[in-house]
Amino acid sequence: MYSYKLSYLKQLEAESIFLIREAVAQFENPVLLFSGGKDSIVMAHLARKAFWPSKLPFPMLHVDTGHNFPETIEFRDYLVNKIGARLIVRTVQESIDNGLAQEEKGPNPSRNGLQTITLLSAIEEFKFDAAFGGARRDEEKARAKERFFSHRDEFGQWDPKNQRPELWHLYNGRKNVGEHFRVFPLSNWTELDIWQYIASENLEIPSIYFSHQREIVNRQGVLLAKSEYISLLKNEQYEEQTVRFRTVGDMTCTGAVFSPANTIEDIIAEVAAARVTERAARADDQRSEAAMEDRKKQGYF
């Protein structure tokens, strides 16, 4: 007899597809935030499933710091071309040139936080009223506070103490002029779920996720890759190590991990045994106890 019982991954997939369709039904001009990382790759795949055989009914938006890993940008362009999506790219450099943002100074400058300015400018420019994101609740405690439909005020800001209830799978997307929502269909997924889903759906991912030889510098426990955007501090030097990345983002704050994992199965085993979250390798989250929540209140992803 045929079984109608869904596997755990298929239940997550069904919930996410329902949320994507619900958002498209409620909002007039949504956009998918796309970085080229594993979570946004899964988001793009789920969105394609939600509306197959039609093309995506909304564009993708990448906020490029200009300091991204080359492998990620190369994969972003490859995937967008493969699935025939429309990609909008807005850069932090444009925000700096227009006087909206200012480069950080100091011994460890980063453009990661400046993405908020570029993101909010793009949302205002294109009048997007909903932005799909690949954030998950297991990543970081501030992200655990987000609703599936997360309200942003007319300034793009988030108030964690003023969120709407989401009972019985009912989602309230009502908003005033100038406000918008962030929509997080992957909220209930874990990092391990993402990798198991990538394996089950045979999804392509950037090579940066697999083990490789790379020159890195250990800066207060964060393994930063050698790049023209990082200046060595006193007593620092680069060393070649076997590493991979659990997250992708700005090269100035995204740290690697020592790893021999060079297949999806290896990564799944490694993540299953990990005792620290993937965000532990991010220097931007270590600036303060509430670094992520402070950024999100200002309009960060």
Side-chain angles (χ1 to χ4, degrees):
M1 179 181 292
Y2 184 82
S3 173
Y4 289 94
K5 187 175 182 180
L6 294 178
S7 69
Y8 176 61
L9 282 181
K10 285 299 181 184
Q11 289 182 44
L12 288 174
E13 178 189 70
E15 179 184 66
S16 298
I17 288 175
F18 171 78
L19 284 157
I20 293 169
R21 288 171 174 166
E22 184 70 12
V24 170
Q26 290 199 35
F27 299 105
E28 296 180 357
N29 191 22
V31 66
L32 172 61
L33 304 179
F34 187 78
S35 67
K38 62 184 185 307
D39 302 310
S40 56
I41 290 169
V42 169
M43 275 294 304
H45 183 71
L46 292 168
R48 291 183 72 202
K49 278 197 169 188
F51 303 104
W52 184 266
S54 299
K55 288 189 175 182
L56 291 183
F58 40 75
M60 294 177 169
L61 169 64
H62 183 215
V63 177
D64 187 351
T65 67
H67 295 172
N68 293 100
F69 290 92
E71 299 98 318
T72 308
I73 299 300
E74 181 181 346
F75 184 85
R76 177 200 71 186
D77 295 339
Y78 161 75
L79 185 65
V80 167
N81 182 62
K82 179 182 177 182
I83 66 177
R86 176 192 171 204
L87 175 67
I88 298 169
V89 178
R90 287 295 179 268
T91 68
V92 170
Q93 186 62 53
E94 290 173 337
S95 299
I96 294 172
D97 293 342
N98 293 332
L100 299 175
Q102 190 172 19
E103 291 269 23
E104 280 190 356
K105 301 185 184 303
N108 196 27
S110 174
R111 287 183 170 183
N112 190 58
L114 302 182
Q115 292 180 97
T116 300
I117 297 169
T118 308
L119 171 62
L120 295 180
S121 295
I123 288 174
E124 183 177 2
E125 176 186 354
F126 291 96
K127 308 300 180 189
F128 293 126
D129 58 356
F132 291 106
R136 310 184 321 269
R137 291 190 176 117
D138 77 319
E139 288 182 81
E140 204 276 338
K141 55 189 177 184
R143 287 184 164 167
K145 297 179 182 179
E146 291 269 21
R147 299 291 194 266
F148 288 111
F149 279 25
S150 194
H151 176 262
R152 297 298 190 271
D153 66 15
E154 65 271 32
F155 303 107
Q157 297 175 332
W158 174 61
D159 183 357
K161 296 182 180 179
N162 184 26
Q163 301 193 78
R164 298 175 180 179
E166 294 183 333
L167 303 176
W168 306 297
H169 303 295
L170 297 175
Y171 304 103
N172 182 355
R174 292 189 178 183
K175 62 188 182 309
N176 296 315
V177 175
E179 298 175 346
H180 72 274
F181 275 74
R182 304 290 171 81
V183 181
F184 301 109
L186 301 182
S187 283
N188 282 343
W189 297 54
T190 66
E191 183 187 12
L192 188 58
D193 296 331
I194 291 292
W195 284 114
Q196 289 176 327
Y197 188 73
I198 287 172
S200 68
E201 297 291 304
N202 196 27
L203 302 184
E204 295 179 273
I205 56 173
S207 60
I208 197 170
Y209 283 117
F210 298 109
S211 175
H212 57 280
Q213 295 288 313
R214 187 181 287 265
E215 288 189 90
I216 55 104
V217 59
N218 189 334
R219 181 168 295 173
Q220 298 179 337
V222 179
L223 310 181
L224 297 174
K226 183 178 182 180
S227 78
E228 60 183 297
Y229 315 117
I230 294 176
S231 299
L232 290 179
L233 305 180
K234 186 179 180 181
N235 299 325
E236 285 185 341
Q237 61 181 4
Y238 287 112
E239 54 182 327
E240 187 164 297
Q241 295 286 351
T242 302
V243 298
R244 72 174 194 87
F245 290 83
R246 290 176 70 180
T247 66
V248 298
D250 193 278
M251 295 183 72
T252 59
C253 62
T254 305
V257 294
F258 297 115
S259 171
N262 54 22
T263 67
I264 297 291
E265 290 72 24
D266 291 343
I267 293 174
I268 289 173
E270 184 178 275
V271 171
R275 292 296 176 265
V276 295
T277 72
E278 64 196 276
R279 301 291 306 192
R282 295 289 294 253
D284 48 335
D285 287 358
Q286 298 180 12
R287 292 191 171 191
S288 74
E289 182 69 17
M292 173 65 84
E293 183 158 328
D294 291 341
R295 293 202 303 275
K296 288 181 72 66
K297 286 178 180 176
Q298 296 166 3
Y300 190 72
F301 301 90

